[in-house]
Amino acid sequence: MKRFLYLGCCLLAIACGPSVPDAFKDSDRLPKIYPDYVDVTVPINIAPLTFELDEPADEMIARYTADDKEVVCAGKMQPSLSEWRSMTAKGGTINVDVYARHGDEWTHYKPFYIHVSTDSIDPWLSYRLIPPSFVSYEALTISQRCLEDYDERVIYDNMLCGFEKEGQCINCHHYQQYNPERMQFHARQKSGGTVIAYDGKLKKMNMKNDSILSAGVYPAWHPWLNLIVYSTDKTHQNFHTTNPNKIEVYDLESDIIAYDIDRSEVTNLENDTTELEVFPAWAPDGRTLYYCSAHFDRNQSVSRTTDVINRYDELKYNIYKKSFNPDSRQFGPRELVFSADSLDMSAVLPRISPDGRYLVFTMAKYGYFHIWHHDADLWMIDLQTNVISPLYKVNSRDTESYHSWSSNGRWLVFSSRRDDGTFTRPFFAHIGKDGKWEKPFELPQADPDYHRQFLRCYNIPEFMHGPVTISPQTFADVLKGEGEPVKYVHELK
């Protein structure tokens, strides 16, 4: 758990402390602040939004006002939790005035607003914290953060089971319907296997089988059945020397499989050798499975690895779906949902809103690992009208990648490199009942400068109803044991 010392001085108006200057000149421009919280929309239960001036000044004083409440801070805007709650309790608008001193003269910038929505957000978020290079991955954790304050805890630490030559890499944490007591994640290399926590039960599965390509990755847990759909992948990565995207992650082969938790049985759903299938995702009604697939006809004159490396920018993923009968556990044939390749683009990571209305995905020029693609943007399909459009208010000039919906369908969390082009950080965007998006905001921290000093990427942000309570050491103890083997079957029962 992190503990922070507040460096700025904050107070309610009746307290004794800094006050706004009496003499100043008004500016017609907005202040440049970090993080950029100018005119954002936030949930009523979010932790306090802190910020600092992001331009030269000898001193800064800022003031929040909402109804009859006022908070004034000097140096950095760091209201306490109680002060923040006094202004956000009913929703509405917080007015923000920023004053900067240059020498003996104060400047009052154009005021801005923070809009507080009465739509709450799930109280917890989990993510991987990983160095940005993806070369050194020993210092890697799955962590969880309370969004209502600044409490952060480690779910599992990669260092508990391996180091250096006997290293381990953990990935793909996932939950059934935001439930922290129904969780899974995967470990590769030393003590590799899939860990599944289910209502107090904890087991390690060895999902490698001669009838499937690999152990399961990119999980999609059925909304109520003990059934997880995965893609199986033979993943490689290359490093560019001049391409601004730096790294290209690609699959030599990939399929879609389904795993029955109770029976420990696994079966192939899609295993066409000319298709690369990834990123399954369930519709909330549990009757439709979405996923992505790219068609790839091999050049038989060279090895498959050489062929993919030479043609990586030809891989264009489309979005498909398969019907599913929860009673018979039978899947229907694949159906095309969105043909991104007809636009000479590649669409991945379909995520369906809890009401089943909207499908948000990430689209870039090629490939599927869009977290490394600077042109990657978020797009949305209205599944009622079939209207497809980019999320103009949400996207930035840099990468937007992995995303997931809040349980009430009013918030989207996504990874973005908009701050510096190198580190992915979580951002949150609100969608109204009318389908209109608002300007997103960055994950708040007690010290607004925290992310500029924190040399880790946030990866795979997932909402949760509460924290995972299993200790990191308990997970490690399970991983150090033998994995239970799976049995391959031709169809689910």
Side-chain angles (χ1 to χ4, degrees):
M1 186 183 303
K2 296 186 296 188
R3 299 185 184 275
F4 295 92
L5 176 66
Y6 278 32
L7 301 178
C9 182
C10 304
L11 73 165
L12 289 173
I14 59 173
C16 182
S19 59
V20 299
D22 295 324
F24 52 82
K25 67 174 183 179
D26 285 313
S27 173
D28 61 358
R29 72 174 179 89
L30 291 165
K32 185 179 180 182
I33 63 171
Y34 178 81
D36 177 11
Y37 290 143
V38 175
D39 296 333
V40 297
T41 298
V42 303
I44 194 170
N45 60 326
I46 196 68
L49 267 61
T50 66
F51 68 84
E52 60 189 348
L53 194 63
D54 198 26
E55 55 185 278
D58 297 316
E59 186 178 356
M60 183 200 84
I61 289 178
R63 174 177 61 188
Y64 289 144
T65 56
D67 295 329
D68 60 343
K69 303 295 191 302
E70 180 183 79
V71 178
V72 180
C73 294
K76 295 179 181 180
M77 196 68 190
Q78 294 173 289
S80 69
L81 184 59
S82 61
E83 289 169 338
W84 180 256
R85 289 284 177 258
S86 73
M87 295 184 291
T88 60
K90 298 179 181 179
T93 300
I94 299 174
N95 303 312
V96 186
D97 290 277
V98 175
Y99 302 80
R101 182 175 62 83
H102 301 87
D104 296 328
E105 187 175 66
W106 285 92
T107 297
H108 174 223
Y109 294 97
K110 183 179 178 180
F112 65 89
Y113 307 95
I114 296 174
H115 308 284
V116 182
S117 170
T118 55
D119 291 326
S120 62
I121 201 166
D122 297 282
W124 286 82
L125 184 78
S126 61
Y127 38 76
R128 286 199 310 168
L129 294 176
I130 186 170
S133 68
F134 278 55
V135 176
S136 174
Y137 52 80
E138 284 87 356
L140 165 63
T141 65
I142 302 175
S143 296
Q144 55 189 345
R145 159 73 188 272
C146 179
L147 296 178
E148 297 178 336
D149 55 35
Y150 307 115
D151 179 9
E152 185 180 62
R153 311 171 189 176
V154 172
I155 295 176
Y156 179 68
D157 190 332
N158 202 47
M159 304 285 279
L160 292 175
C161 280
F163 184 67
E164 293 182 346
K165 291 183 179 180
E166 294 187 334
Q168 184 182 75
C169 180
I170 49 173
N171 57 18
C172 303
H173 58 281
H174 187 64
Y175 310 89
Q176 185 184 44
Q177 291 293 86
Y178 311 92
N179 186 348
E181 295 185 0
R182 298 182 180 182
M183 176 199 183
Q184 75 94 69
F185 68 90
H186 186 69
R188 293 179 295 181
Q189 296 176 277
K190 180 178 174 61
S191 303
T194 300
V195 175
I196 298 176
Y198 192 89
D199 294 346
K201 301 175 183 178
L202 188 60
K203 64 179 180 179
K204 173 184 175 181
M205 301 301 303
N206 177 9
M207 296 187 67
K208 293 181 179 180
N209 187 282
D210 291 342
S211 298
I212 59 178
L213 284 177
S214 69
V217 294
Y218 309 133
W221 203 320
H222 189 272
W224 68 85
L225 295 176
N226 294 350
L227 180 70
I228 304 177
V229 174
Y230 298 91
S231 62
T232 55
D233 307 71
K234 292 186 176 180
T235 305
H236 288 241
Q237 68 177 18
N238 281 353
F239 294 83
H240 297 294
T241 55
T242 58
N243 190 317
N245 285 336
K246 297 180 183 178
I247 298 175
E248 191 59 41
V249 179
Y250 54 89
D251 286 337
L252 297 180
E253 299 177 75
S254 57
D255 294 328
I256 299 290
I257 65 170
Y259 167 64
D260 185 315
I261 297 174
D262 295 328
R263 296 174 178 268
S264 293
E265 294 177 345
V266 65
T267 189
N268 281 306
L269 301 182
E270 290 287 327
N271 60 347
D272 186 335
T273 58
T274 66
E275 295 285 327
L276 300 171
E277 301 101 346
V278 293
F279 295 135
W282 287 101
D285 65 2
R287 296 181 177 277
T288 306
L289 179 75
Y290 291 84
Y291 65 97
C292 303
S293 185
H295 187 75
F296 186 74
D297 286 316
R298 276 198 61 195
N299 179 352
Q300 300 293 335
S301 65
V302 297
S303 71
R304 189 178 188 93
T305 301
T306 300
D307 195 17
V308 174
I309 291 173
N310 289 340
R311 299 166 57 197
Y312 69 90
D313 56 354
E314 296 179 22
L315 295 176
K316 312 283 184 175
Y317 286 79
N318 298 322
I319 299 176
Y320 294 88
K321 67 180 180 180
K322 297 171 76 71
S323 63
F324 177 71
N325 185 324
D327 296 323
S328 65
R329 299 197 176 198
Q330 297 300 301
F331 289 86
R334 81 171 189 173
E335 303 173 53
L336 181 64
V337 176
F338 174 57
S339 176
D341 62 356
S342 66
L343 304 176
D344 196 29
M345 300 292 283
S346 183
V348 297
L349 286 169
R351 293 290 184 270
I352 301 85
S353 60
D355 63 1
R357 173 73 183 270
Y358 302 110
L359 185 157
V360 171
F361 62 96
T362 304
M363 189 153 69
K365 190 66 176 176
Y366 59 84
Y368 83 97
F369 220 70
H370 286 350
I371 196 170
W372 284 112
H373 295 161
H374 291 287
D375 64 327
D377 281 331
L378 294 172
W379 287 62
M380 184 171 76
I381 304 174
D382 185 328
L383 295 176
Q384 289 186 4
T385 64
N386 288 322
V387 172
I388 303 170
S389 59
L391 306 189
Y392 290 111
K393 276 197 171 183
V394 177
N395 293 322
S396 70
R397 295 181 179 180
D398 217 302
T399 306
E400 268 68 60
S401 56
Y402 192 97
H403 51 278
S404 57
W405 291 90
S406 65
S407 60
N408 62 7
R410 298 273 71 90
W411 300 94
L412 190 79
V413 62
F414 60 96
S415 298
S416 179
R417 296 188 190 271
R418 66 186 61 195
D419 279 349
D420 52 31
T422 298
F423 293 92
T424 51
R425 299 184 178 107
F427 283 75
F428 305 84
H430 180 259
I431 181 173
K433 294 179 181 179
D434 56 1
K436 293 183 179 179
W437 293 91
E438 302 296 339
K439 179 180 175 179
F441 67 96
E442 188 169 342
L443 175 68
Q445 297 289 353
D447 185 341
D449 203 44
Y450 178 82
H451 279 152
R452 286 175 162 172
Q453 302 177 45
F454 185 59
L455 305 181
R456 293 287 186 274
C457 289
Y458 293 76
N459 189 251
I460 314 182
E462 291 280 356
F463 286 113
M464 309 138 72
H465 289 322
V468 174
T469 57
I470 299 171
S471 72
Q473 190 58 57
T474 299
F475 279 128
D477 291 342
V478 171
L479 268 174
K480 290 174 183 177
E482 293 295 321
E484 177 185 329
V486 296
K487 178 184 178 182
Y488 183 81
V489 294
H490 292 289
E491 61 180 28
L492 297 174
K493 299 177 183 179

Coordinates of all heavy atoms in Angstrom, one line a residue, residues 174-185 194-205 220-228 230 259-264 329 468-470 474-475 478 484:
H174 N -7.7 -11.5 -15.8 CA -9.1 -11.3 -16.3 C -10.0 -11.8 -15.2 O -9.7 -12.6 -14.3 CB -9.3 -12.2 -17.5 CG -10.6 -11.9 -18.2 ND1 -11.0 -10.7 -18.7 CD2 -11.7 -12.8 -18.4 CE1 -12.2 -10.8 -19.2 NE2 -12.6 -12.0 -19.1
Y175 N -11.3 -11.3 -15.2 CA -12.3 -11.6 -14.2 C -13.6 -12.0 -14.9 O -13.9 -11.5 -16.0 CB -12.5 -10.4 -13.3 CG -11.2 -9.8 -12.7 CD1 -10.5 -8.8 -13.5 CD2 -10.7 -10.3 -11.6 CE1 -9.3 -8.3 -13.0 CE2 -9.5 -9.7 -11.1 CZ -8.8 -8.8 -11.8 OH -7.6 -8.3 -11.4
Q176 N -14.4 -12.7 -14.1 CA -15.7 -13.0 -14.6 C -16.7 -11.9 -14.0 O -16.9 -11.9 -12.8 CB -16.2 -14.4 -14.2 CG -17.6 -14.8 -14.7 CD -18.1 -16.1 -14.2 OE1 -18.0 -16.4 -13.0 NE2 -18.6 -16.9 -15.1
Q177 N -17.2 -11.1 -14.9 CA -18.1 -10.1 -14.5 C -17.6 -9.2 -13.4 O -18.3 -9.0 -12.4 CB -19.5 -10.7 -14.2 CG -20.2 -11.3 -15.3 CD -20.7 -10.2 -16.3 OE1 -19.9 -9.8 -17.2 NE2 -21.9 -9.8 -16.2
Y178 N -16.4 -8.7 -13.5 CA -15.8 -7.8 -12.6 C -15.6 -8.3 -11.1 O -15.3 -7.6 -10.2 CB -16.7 -6.5 -12.5 CG -17.1 -5.9 -13.8 CD1 -18.3 -6.3 -14.4 CD2 -16.2 -5.0 -14.4 CE1 -18.6 -5.8 -15.7 CE2 -16.6 -4.5 -15.7 CZ -17.8 -4.9 -16.3 OH -18.1 -4.3 -17.5
N179 N -15.7 -9.7 -11.0 CA -15.7 -10.3 -9.7 C -14.3 -10.7 -9.3 O -13.7 -11.5 -10.0 CB -16.6 -11.6 -9.7 CG -16.7 -12.2 -8.4 OD1 -16.0 -11.9 -7.4 ND2 -17.6 -13.2 -8.3
P180 N -13.7 -10.0 -8.3 CA -12.3 -10.3 -7.9 C -12.1 -11.7 -7.4 O -11.0 -12.2 -7.2 CB -12.0 -9.3 -6.9 CG -13.3 -8.9 -6.3 CD -14.3 -9.0 -7.4
E181 N -13.2 -12.4 -7.0 CA -13.1 -13.8 -6.5 C -13.1 -14.8 -7.6 O -13.0 -16.0 -7.4 CB -14.2 -14.1 -5.5 CG -14.1 -13.2 -4.2 CD -15.1 -13.6 -3.2 OE1 -16.0 -14.5 -3.5 OE2 -15.1 -12.9 -2.1
R182 N -13.3 -14.4 -8.8 CA -13.3 -15.2 -10.0 C -12.3 -14.6 -11.0 O -12.6 -13.8 -11.8 CB -14.6 -15.4 -10.6 CG -15.6 -16.1 -9.7 CD -17.0 -16.3 -10.3 NE -17.9 -16.9 -9.3 CZ -19.2 -17.3 -9.6 NH1 -19.6 -17.0 -10.8 NH2 -19.9 -17.8 -8.7
M183 N -11.0 -15.0 -10.8 CA -9.9 -14.4 -11.5 C -9.0 -15.4 -12.1 O -8.9 -16.6 -11.7 CB -9.1 -13.5 -10.5 CG -7.9 -12.9 -11.1 SD -6.7 -12.4 -9.8 CE -5.4 -11.6 -10.8
Q184 N -8.3 -15.0 -13.2 CA -7.3 -15.9 -13.8 C -6.2 -15.0 -14.3 O -6.4 -13.9 -14.7 CB -7.9 -16.8 -14.9 CG -8.2 -16.1 -16.2 CD -7.0 -16.2 -17.2 OE1 -6.7 -17.3 -17.7 NE2 -6.4 -15.1 -17.5
F185 N -4.9 -15.6 -14.3 CA -3.8 -15.0 -15.0 C -2.9 -16.1 -15.5 O -3.0 -17.2 -15.0 CB -3.1 -13.9 -14.2 CG -2.4 -14.4 -13.0 CD1 -1.0 -14.8 -13.1 CD2 -3.0 -14.5 -11.7 CE1 -0.3 -15.3 -12.0 CE2 -2.3 -15.0 -10.6 CZ -0.9 -15.4 -10.8
T194 N -1.5 -21.6 -16.0 CA -2.6 -20.7 -15.9 C -3.2 -20.8 -14.5 O -3.6 -22.0 -14.1 CB -3.7 -21.0 -16.9 OG1 -3.1 -20.8 -18.2 CG2 -4.9 -20.0 -16.7
V195 N -3.3 -19.8 -13.7 CA -3.8 -19.8 -12.3 C -5.2 -19.3 -12.4 O -5.5 -18.2 -12.9 CB -3.0 -18.9 -11.4 CG1 -3.6 -18.8 -10.0 CG2 -1.5 -19.4 -11.3
I196 N -6.1 -20.1 -11.8 CA -7.5 -19.8 -11.8 C -8.0 -19.7 -10.3 O -7.9 -20.7 -9.6 CB -8.4 -20.8 -12.6 CG1 -7.9 -20.7 -14.1 CG2 -9.9 -20.5 -12.5 CD1 -8.6 -21.7 -15.0
A197 N -8.6 -18.6 -9.9 CA -9.2 -18.5 -8.6 C -10.7 -18.4 -8.8 O -11.2 -17.6 -9.6 CB -8.7 -17.2 -7.9
Y198 N -11.5 -19.3 -8.1 CA -12.9 -19.4 -8.3 C -13.6 -19.7 -7.0 O -13.6 -20.8 -6.5 CB -13.2 -20.5 -9.3 CG -14.6 -20.5 -9.8 CD1 -15.0 -19.7 -10.9 CD2 -15.6 -21.2 -9.2 CE1 -16.3 -19.7 -11.4 CE2 -17.0 -21.2 -9.6 CZ -17.3 -20.4 -10.7 OH -18.6 -20.4 -11.2
D199 N -14.2 -18.6 -6.4 CA -15.0 -18.8 -5.2 C -14.2 -19.5 -4.1 O -14.7 -20.5 -3.5 CB -16.3 -19.5 -5.4 CG -17.2 -18.6 -6.3 OD1 -17.0 -17.4 -6.5 OD2 -18.2 -19.2 -6.9
G200 N -13.0 -19.1 -3.8 CA -12.2 -19.6 -2.8 C -11.3 -20.8 -3.2 O -10.4 -21.2 -2.4
K201 N -11.5 -21.3 -4.4 CA -10.7 -22.4 -4.9 C -9.6 -21.8 -5.7 O -9.8 -20.8 -6.4 CB -11.5 -23.4 -5.8 CG -12.7 -24.0 -5.0 CD -13.5 -24.9 -6.0 CE -14.7 -25.5 -5.3 NZ -15.5 -26.3 -6.3
L202 N -8.4 -22.4 -5.7 CA -7.2 -21.8 -6.4 C -6.5 -23.0 -7.0 O -6.1 -23.9 -6.3 CB -6.3 -21.0 -5.4 CG -5.2 -20.2 -6.0 CD1 -5.7 -19.2 -7.0 CD2 -4.4 -19.6 -4.9
K203 N -6.3 -23.0 -8.3 CA -5.6 -24.1 -9.0 C -4.7 -23.6 -10.1 O -5.0 -22.5 -10.7 CB -6.6 -25.1 -9.5 CG -7.5 -24.7 -10.6 CD -8.4 -25.9 -11.0 CE -9.4 -25.4 -12.1 NZ -10.2 -26.6 -12.5
K204 N -3.7 -24.4 -10.4 CA -2.8 -24.1 -11.6 C -3.1 -25.1 -12.6 O -3.1 -26.3 -12.4 CB -1.4 -24.1 -11.1 CG -0.4 -24.0 -12.3 CD 1.1 -24.2 -11.7 CE 2.1 -24.1 -12.9 NZ 3.5 -24.3 -12.4
M205 N -3.3 -24.6 -13.9 CA -3.6 -25.5 -15.0 C -2.5 -25.5 -16.0 O -1.9 -24.4 -16.3 CB -4.9 -25.0 -15.7 CG -6.1 -25.0 -14.8 SD -6.5 -26.6 -14.1 CE -6.7 -27.6 -15.6
A220 N -11.3 -14.6 -22.2 CA -12.7 -14.1 -22.2 C -13.5 -15.0 -21.4 O -13.9 -16.1 -21.9 CB -13.2 -13.8 -23.6
W221 N -13.8 -14.7 -20.1 CA -14.6 -15.5 -19.2 C -16.1 -15.3 -19.5 O -16.6 -14.2 -19.6 CB -14.3 -15.1 -17.8 CG -14.6 -16.2 -16.8 CD1 -15.6 -17.0 -16.7 CD2 -13.8 -16.5 -15.6 NE1 -15.5 -17.9 -15.6 CE2 -14.4 -17.6 -14.9 CE3 -12.6 -16.0 -15.1 CZ2 -13.9 -18.1 -13.8 CZ3 -12.1 -16.5 -14.0 CH2 -12.7 -17.6 -13.3
H222 N -16.8 -16.4 -19.8 CA -18.3 -16.3 -20.0 C -19.0 -15.6 -18.9 O -18.6 -15.7 -17.7 CB -18.9 -17.7 -20.2 CG -20.3 -17.7 -20.7 ND1 -21.3 -17.6 -19.9 CD2 -20.8 -17.7 -22.0 CE1 -22.5 -17.6 -20.6 NE2 -22.1 -17.6 -21.9
P223 N -20.0 -14.8 -19.2 CA -20.6 -14.0 -18.1 C -21.1 -14.8 -16.9 O -21.2 -14.3 -15.8 CB -21.8 -13.3 -18.8 CG -21.3 -13.2 -20.2 CD -20.5 -14.4 -20.5
W224 N -21.5 -16.1 -17.1 CA -22.0 -16.9 -15.9 C -21.5 -18.3 -15.9 O -21.4 -19.0 -14.9 CB -23.5 -16.8 -15.8 CG -24.3 -17.5 -16.8 CD1 -24.6 -18.8 -16.9 CD2 -24.8 -16.9 -18.0 NE1 -25.4 -19.1 -18.0 CE2 -25.5 -17.9 -18.7 CE3 -24.9 -15.6 -18.5 CZ2 -26.2 -17.7 -19.9 CZ3 -25.5 -15.4 -19.7 CH2 -26.2 -16.4 -20.4
L225 N -21.2 -18.9 -17.1 CA -20.7 -20.3 -17.1 C -19.3 -20.4 -16.7 O -18.5 -19.4 -16.8 CB -20.9 -20.8 -18.5 CG -22.3 -21.0 -19.1 CD1 -22.3 -21.4 -20.5 CD2 -23.1 -21.9 -18.2
N226 N -18.9 -21.6 -16.2 CA -17.5 -21.8 -15.9 C -16.7 -22.2 -17.2 O -16.2 -23.3 -17.3 CB -17.4 -23.0 -14.9 CG -18.0 -22.6 -13.6 OD1 -18.3 -21.5 -13.3 ND2 -18.1 -23.6 -12.7
L227 N -16.7 -21.2 -18.1 CA -16.1 -21.4 -19.4 C -15.3 -20.2 -19.8 O -15.8 -19.1 -19.7 CB -17.3 -21.6 -20.4 CG -16.9 -21.9 -21.9 CD1 -16.2 -23.2 -22.1 CD2 -18.1 -21.7 -22.8
I228 N -14.0 -20.4 -20.2 CA -13.2 -19.3 -20.6 C -12.7 -19.6 -22.0 O -12.2 -20.7 -22.3 CB -11.9 -19.2 -19.7 CG1 -12.3 -19.0 -18.3 CG2 -11.1 -18.0 -20.2 CD1 -11.2 -19.0 -17.3
Y230 N -10.1 -18.6 -25.0 CA -8.8 -18.0 -25.2 C -8.4 -18.0 -26.7 O -9.0 -18.8 -27.5 CB -7.7 -18.9 -24.5 CG -7.8 -19.0 -23.0 CD1 -8.5 -20.0 -22.4 CD2 -7.1 -18.1 -22.1 CE1 -8.6 -20.2 -21.0 CE2 -7.2 -18.3 -20.7 CZ -7.9 -19.3 -20.2 OH -8.0 -19.5 -18.8
Y259 N -12.2 -23.4 -22.9 CA -11.7 -24.3 -21.7 C -12.9 -24.4 -20.7 O -13.4 -23.3 -20.2 CB -10.5 -23.6 -21.1 CG -10.1 -24.2 -19.8 CD1 -9.8 -25.5 -19.6 CD2 -10.1 -23.4 -18.6 CE1 -9.4 -26.1 -18.4 CE2 -9.8 -23.9 -17.4 CZ -9.5 -25.2 -17.3 OH -9.2 -25.8 -16.0
D260 N -13.3 -25.6 -20.4 CA -14.3 -25.9 -19.4 C -13.6 -26.0 -18.0 O -12.8 -27.0 -17.8 CB -15.0 -27.2 -19.7 CG -16.2 -27.5 -18.8 OD1 -16.0 -27.3 -17.6 OD2 -17.3 -27.8 -19.3
I261 N -13.8 -25.1 -17.1 CA -13.1 -25.1 -15.8 C -13.4 -26.3 -15.0 O -12.5 -26.9 -14.4 CB -13.5 -23.8 -15.0 CG1 -13.0 -22.5 -15.8 CG2 -12.8 -23.8 -13.7 CD1 -13.4 -21.2 -15.2
D262 N -14.7 -26.7 -14.9 CA -15.1 -27.8 -14.1 C -14.6 -29.2 -14.6 O -14.1 -30.0 -13.8 CB -16.6 -27.9 -14.0 CG -17.2 -26.6 -13.2 OD1 -16.5 -26.1 -12.4 OD2 -18.3 -26.2 -13.6
R263 N -14.6 -29.3 -15.9 CA -14.2 -30.6 -16.5 C -12.7 -30.6 -16.9 O -12.2 -31.7 -17.3 CB -15.0 -30.9 -17.8 CG -16.5 -31.1 -17.5 CD -17.3 -31.2 -18.8 NE -18.7 -31.5 -18.6 CZ -19.3 -32.7 -18.5 NH1 -18.5 -33.8 -18.7 NH2 -20.6 -32.8 -18.4
S264 N -12.0 -29.5 -16.8 CA -10.6 -29.4 -17.3 C -10.5 -29.9 -18.7 O -9.5 -30.6 -19.1 CB -9.7 -30.2 -16.3 OG -9.7 -29.6 -15.1
R329 N -24.0 -25.5 -25.2 CA -22.6 -25.1 -25.3 C -22.1 -25.3 -26.7 O -20.9 -25.7 -26.9 CB -21.7 -25.9 -24.3 CG -22.1 -25.6 -22.9 CD -21.0 -26.1 -21.9 NE -21.4 -25.7 -20.5 CZ -20.6 -25.6 -19.5 NH1 -19.3 -25.9 -19.8 NH2 -20.9 -25.3 -18.3
V468 N -8.7 -7.9 -5.1 CA -8.3 -9.3 -4.9 C -7.7 -9.5 -3.6 O -6.8 -8.7 -3.2 CB -7.3 -9.7 -6.0 CG1 -6.8 -11.1 -5.8 CG2 -8.0 -9.6 -7.4
T469 N -8.2 -10.4 -2.8 CA -7.7 -10.6 -1.4 C -6.7 -11.7 -1.2 O -6.1 -11.9 -0.2 CB -8.9 -10.8 -0.4 OG1 -9.7 -11.9 -0.9 CG2 -9.8 -9.6 -0.4
I470 N -6.5 -12.5 -2.3 CA -5.5 -13.6 -2.2 C -4.1 -12.9 -2.2 O -3.9 -12.0 -2.9 CB -5.6 -14.5 -3.4 CG1 -7.0 -15.2 -3.4 CG2 -4.5 -15.6 -3.4 CD1 -7.3 -16.0 -4.6
T474 N 0.6 -16.5 -1.8 CA -0.3 -17.6 -2.0 C -0.3 -18.0 -3.5 O -0.2 -19.1 -3.9 CB -1.7 -17.3 -1.5 OG1 -1.6 -17.1 -0.1 CG2 -2.6 -18.5 -1.8
F475 N -0.4 -16.9 -4.3 CA -0.4 -17.2 -5.8 C 1.0 -17.8 -6.2 O 1.0 -18.8 -7.0 CB -0.5 -15.9 -6.6 CG -1.9 -15.4 -6.7 CD1 -2.3 -14.1 -6.4 CD2 -2.9 -16.3 -7.3 CE1 -3.6 -13.7 -6.5 CE2 -4.2 -15.9 -7.4 CZ -4.6 -14.6 -7.1
V478 N 1.2 -21.5 -5.3 CA 0.4 -22.3 -6.3 C 1.2 -22.5 -7.6 O 1.3 -23.6 -8.2 CB -1.0 -21.7 -6.5 CG1 -1.7 -22.4 -7.7 CG2 -1.8 -21.8 -5.3
E484 N -2.3 -28.8 -13.3 CA -3.2 -29.9 -13.6 C -3.4 -29.9 -15.1 O -3.6 -28.9 -15.7 CB -4.5 -29.6 -12.9 CG -5.6 -30.6 -13.3 CD -7.0 -30.2 -12.7 OE1 -7.0 -29.6 -11.6 OE2 -8.0 -30.5 -13.3

